[in-house]
Every structure is written in structure tokens, then in C-alpha cells.
Amino acid sequence: MDVSISTQVLGLHLLLLLACSIAPNRAEQEVENLSGLSSNPDKNIFAIRENGTTCLMAEFSAKILVPYEVPSSNEVDWNPEEATIQLPRDTEIRGKCWNNESELHLSWSDKSYTLKLFFVKDGQDSTKSTGRSWKMNKVQFMYDLSDRTNFKNGARPGKHTASRHHISLMVTPVGMSYECEANEKVSLTSTDQKKTVVLYLSEVHIQPFDIKSDFVYSEEYKCLTDQRKQLEETLPLILGLTLGVAIVIILAVYHVHHKMTANQVQIPRDRSLYKHMG
């Protein structure tokens, strides 16, 4: 009897552990395409909410350059072509939010194209004082060469995946959002004869973790390109102000010195003039 009870208790414990491990993956998720709020027609805004709270926010413009081939006039050789694919506003959104990993999946044109962005939190680095950070660590782009919206007639048919793994992009301190106005280029290797597909991101603002308020980004961490640009814009102003202050100080010192000199009694060098003093 005791053995049977112990077995039942152990079984209940195992069921509870299993339920706890599965529960985070079954959290209720909502997706929001807020691109209509942007004044830039090429810019998209996405949000993923879990259990009524925003867990991932992203806004950016995306352009993808895809090389492919079409038959030449002799119908024997193949000529290289390049398609420019823009991320549209009517994108279908999916995603996942966990404590240390997040994903954003964007599909359009009846799933002829799917762009997946993967984010991960880095562990504590004892050699750095900045503590933990998050980054984009993987990018995947699936495309269908039979789609005639972007690829010419005669293109080699087939669905392909261009990807890049183990990368460190958008490295940002945990608890902050990443912001970058400048273009960012990501080269991907395609399953189509290992061609290079290029993803361009611009006007980026992303936060895949630790969003404190619903639909509100945390403090921005600017990319190095934007930081340099900001420094280049403010440096002439700083130098101008410094030079102006230096000139004012020099003029003030000169004025005080001139005034003190003017008030001093001039001692005549000709001794015959001493009799006229006093």
C-alpha cells in the first residue's frame, strides 16, 4: 500500500514538473502590425505581446538583394540577375518570447518569402564591467524563385534558404533598446549554389527583451555609426564654443591689463623732468 502511494506521489511530481516546463511555451501570444503608424512607407513596426504584455518590439526598413539566373538568348547559358525585395506593410507576423531567447518571423506574398530574426541574451562576462547584453545571433531568409513579382520568367525554379549563424549584431546592454538610423548590411549564404543574399536594415529600433511598459521602448543604445555621426555633428559646435570662450577670456585679460597699466604713474626717464613732479 505504501509503495503504491509513493508511486502515485512520484507520478504527480513528474506531471507537475512537466507542466511547469511546458507552460512557458504555451503562453498566450498576440501579434500587432503597427506599420500604418509610420510616416515612412518603407518602414515597418511590429510588436509581440504575451499574456497581455509586450515582450518584443521592432521597427525598421528592410531591403533584400537576391541573385538568381535566367536563360540567355542562346538558351544554353544562364545570365545573372538580381532581385530587390522590399519588406511590405501587409507582412504576416509570428514570434516567440522567452527569458533568454526571442524570435521574429515575417512572411509575405502567400509565404513566398519569410524573414526570421533570432535574438539571444549573452551570459555574464567577468572581464567586462558592462554586465550582460543581448544581440541578434542568427538570420534566415526563405524565398521562392517561382514568384514572378520579383523574379523574371525563366528563372531557375525552387525554394531556397539564405542564412547566417553565430553572428553578433546589435549588441546592446540588457534592459535597453537598440537604435540605428544608418544602413546595416548582413550577408547571407543561400542554398542556391551558395550565392550571397544581402539584407539591408535601416532606421532600426528593436527591443526583444525586458520591455518595462506596454508598447514603450526602454532607453536607447545607439549603434557605433550613429554615435560617430553624432560626434561629428557636435564636435564643430564644441570647438566653436571653446574657441569663443577662449577669445572672451583673452579679451577680458587684455582689457584688465590695459586698464591697470593706464592707471599707473609714468616715471619720466629724463632726470630734468623730476622738478616738475610733486
Side-chain angles (χ1 to χ4, degrees):
M1 183 70 176
D2 293 339
V3 175
S4 176
I5 293 174
S6 300
T7 304
Q8 291 177 357
V9 171
L10 179 60
L12 286 173
H13 278 294
L14 290 174
L15 285 173
L16 286 172
L17 288 173
L18 182 61
C20 289
S21 63
I22 294 175
N25 297 326
R26 289 184 175 178
E28 183 181 352
Q29 287 190 347
E30 305 171 29
V31 293
E32 298 277 355
N33 188 336
L34 306 173
S35 302
L37 299 177
S38 174
S39 58
N40 183 351
D42 295 329
K43 190 173 184 179
N44 293 273
I45 305 174
F46 311 112
I48 298 176
R49 305 179 77 241
E50 189 172 85
N51 295 330
T53 304
T54 306
C55 61
L56 186 152
M57 286 182 65
E59 54 184 283
F60 53 81
S61 298
K63 180 175 66 175
I64 306 155
L65 305 184
V66 181
Y68 66 104
E69 296 170 337
V70 295
S72 63
S73 57
N74 61 20
E75 298 183 355
V76 175
D77 299 319
W78 293 84
N79 292 332
E81 295 281 350
E82 187 176 66
T84 300
I85 302 171
Q86 196 81 30
L87 184 67
R89 284 198 162 186
D90 59 346
T91 301
E92 180 183 336
I93 314 163
R94 290 176 53 244
K96 300 176 182 177
C97 293
W98 294 299
N99 289 334
N100 296 314
E101 295 181 14
S102 290
E103 300 177 12
L104 179 62
H105 302 179
L106 307 171
S107 301
W108 64 98
S109 297
D110 293 326
K111 299 190 184 299
S112 294
Y113 308 97
T114 299
L115 177 64
K116 294 183 179 182
L117 307 179
F118 299 81
F119 306 92
V120 64
K121 280 185 183 178
D122 280 336
Q124 181 79 29
D125 189 342
S126 59
T127 63
K128 298 179 181 179
S129 59
T130 54
R132 298 188 68 187
S133 60
W134 64 262
K135 64 183 180 182
M136 182 190 291
N137 69 322
K138 185 168 66 173
V139 177
Q140 285 184 344
F141 177 61
M142 284 79 83
Y143 59 99
D144 188 352
L145 290 174
S146 62
D147 176 52
R148 293 294 165 254
T149 306
N150 293 290
F151 301 106
K152 293 181 179 178
N153 289 329
R156 293 180 187 268
K159 296 181 179 181
H160 297 281
T161 299
S163 59
R164 188 172 175 186
H165 303 259
H166 310 296
I167 56 178
S168 294
L169 300 175
M170 305 182 184
V171 179
T172 303
V174 167
M176 300 183 71
S177 62
Y178 175 85
E179 188 175 47
C180 192
E181 291 292 323
N183 277 328
E184 296 186 90
K185 175 182 175 182
V186 186
S187 297
L188 314 174
T189 302
S190 174
T191 54
D192 181 15
Q193 302 178 10
K194 295 192 178 298
K195 292 182 174 66
T196 299
V197 174
V198 180
L199 167 65
Y200 287 98
L201 297 173
S202 61
E203 297 185 80
V204 176
H205 199 176
I206 291 179
Q207 186 170 357
F209 303 104
D210 305 310
I211 297 177
K212 297 179 177 64
S213 300
D214 222 15
F215 296 112
V216 179
Y217 289 105
S218 299
E219 180 184 355
E220 299 87 1
Y221 179 82
K222 293 187 178 294
C223 63
L224 293 177
T225 305
D226 282 9
Q227 290 181 29
R228 284 194 292 266
K229 183 179 179 182
Q230 188 175 18
L231 181 61
E232 290 172 357
E233 291 174 349
T234 56
L235 190 58
L237 179 61
I238 294 172
L239 291 175
L241 289 173
T242 304
L243 182 60
V245 171
I247 291 173
V248 170
I249 293 173
I250 292 171
L251 290 175
V253 171
Y254 173 79
H255 178 72
V256 171
H257 176 73
H258 180 73
K259 189 174 182 180
M260 292 176 63
T261 305
N263 292 335
Q264 289 180 353
V265 177
Q266 299 294 324
I267 301 176
R269 294 182 179 181
D270 189 350
R271 291 180 180 274
S272 64
L273 297 176
Y274 279 111
K275 62 183 179 179
H276 298 294
M277 297 180 65

